[in-house]
Amino acid sequence: MPIAANIAYVQHNGAASPINPVVLIHGAGADHTCWPIEIRHLQGLSVLAIDLPNHGHSAGCGDRSIAGYAQAVLAWMDTLNLWKVSLVGHSMGGAIALYLAQHAPERVIALGLLSTAGSFVLPQRMLDLFANTSSQDKALDQLSGLLFTPQTNPLIRRRSMNLFTTARLAVLASDWILCRDIYLDHSLAITAPTYIASGRNDRLIPPKAVLELAAHIPQAQVQLLAECGHLAILEKPVVIAAALTKLLQPIYQPWIDSRHVF
């Protein structure tokens, strides 16, 4: 995998829109492999899936703030001469995308916010278990109970937990503790066209929080997915990919047709 500014990344769909790609930002404790093929291969669009610092194949240190991760993504964009991109983030990755849309709006073309909100609902008991290295296995058990619904395909459940159990546990713990402190400043406007999707049965991001977020984004399109939990990207990848394509293709079509750079 190529690496720039301590961030490893994978490119999909060739050079359809190489200067202004769609960038996928994974959630807490995950890496670029969390994204299903349907989202990695959005029709007609260049897609880059990144590993945040100290996740997956990336070097550097995991950060303890959304702002810190956002600055790392900006440094990566600068190194690759990516002036404007569309950001698609899951969970913590969505919070990073939100932060960038608020604090560097000139760098953001559009947003895909998946299973994320302006604040997270996290049990203190789970965070306490993650904070103690001797009890992180118990924390993973609690996390498993929050991520899935009874309808979740067992294969998705196993794949997801395998990803977390092979992650750097210290980074996983730090990320979830960081998520406790996420707070979106609603006084900072988000003007980018935005698609928001979340599971109706998400125990970490309840529908109320999703609708509250959408109310503060004038161009937001919201989709609450039935019989779906926090890992909506794995449970409903076809639906989410279709909605992202519908949002993004009209935005990118003038560039694809004329090679115009946003």
Side-chain angles (χ1 to χ4, degrees):
M1 290 176 65
I3 298 176
N6 284 333
I7 288 183
Y9 62 98
V10 176
Q11 180 169 352
H12 302 281
N13 289 9
S17 48
I19 299 176
N20 312 112
V22 179
V23 176
L24 306 181
I25 308 176
H26 62 77
D31 59 35
H32 74 280
T33 62
C34 75
W35 296 101
I37 190 169
E38 293 88 350
I39 297 177
R40 286 186 280 122
H41 292 273
L42 298 175
Q43 185 177 358
L45 299 170
S46 179
V47 178
L48 302 182
I50 68 172
D51 286 348
L52 290 169
N54 204 25
H55 293 70
H57 293 274
S58 290
C61 298
D63 211 282
R64 294 188 178 273
S65 71
I66 291 299
Y69 277 131
Q71 289 302 315
V73 173
L74 280 179
W76 170 78
M77 289 170 58
D78 289 342
T79 300
L80 293 181
N81 295 316
L82 302 176
W83 174 245
K84 296 191 77 169
V85 301
S86 292
L87 297 171
V88 175
H90 174 254
S91 190
M92 184 185 79
I96 296 168
L98 277 168
Y99 186 94
L100 287 168
Q102 287 188 315
H103 293 86
E106 72 283 358
R107 309 293 298 270
V108 179
I109 299 168
L111 287 173
L113 304 176
L114 312 175
S115 304
T116 196
S119 61
F120 284 44
V121 179
L122 299 174
Q124 188 59 46
R125 169 65 175 161
M126 184 185 78
L127 298 177
D128 291 341
L129 290 171
F130 266 129
N132 187 334
T133 55
S134 66
S135 61
Q136 288 177 349
D137 286 346
K138 294 180 181 178
L140 282 173
D141 289 340
Q142 284 213 0
L143 180 60
S144 176
L146 293 170
L147 291 177
F148 310 109
T149 70
Q151 293 77 29
T152 302
N153 185 310
L155 291 175
I156 292 176
R157 186 186 295 265
R158 284 198 295 272
R159 174 190 168 189
S160 302
M161 294 315 298
N162 284 341
L163 175 62
F164 288 130
T165 54
T166 57
R168 301 174 180 93
L169 278 179
V171 177
L172 177 62
S174 177
D175 281 353
W176 281 111
I177 293 170
L178 175 161
C179 287
R180 172 194 59 193
D181 300 323
I182 290 173
Y183 174 74
L184 178 67
D185 184 353
H186 291 302
S187 68
L188 299 175
I190 296 173
T191 58
T194 302
Y195 167 66
I196 301 174
S198 189
R200 287 189 179 275
N201 303 115
D202 192 329
R203 295 184 175 95
L204 297 172
I205 306 293
K208 180 180 178 181
V210 175
L211 296 175
E212 180 183 352
L213 171 64
H216 290 85
I217 304 178
Q219 297 194 66
Q221 305 170 28
V222 185
Q223 194 168 26
L224 296 177
L225 303 166
E227 298 184 351
C228 188
H230 190 65
L231 296 180
I233 59 172
L234 299 180
E235 295 190 83
K236 304 286 185 179
V238 174
V239 173
I240 290 174
L244 287 170
T245 300
K246 184 177 179 181
L247 172 74
L248 295 171
Q249 277 194 339
I251 297 172
Y252 278 84
Q253 198 59 49
W255 185 88
I256 295 171
D257 290 343
S258 64
R259 298 301 184 188
H260 171 69
V261 179
F262 285 93

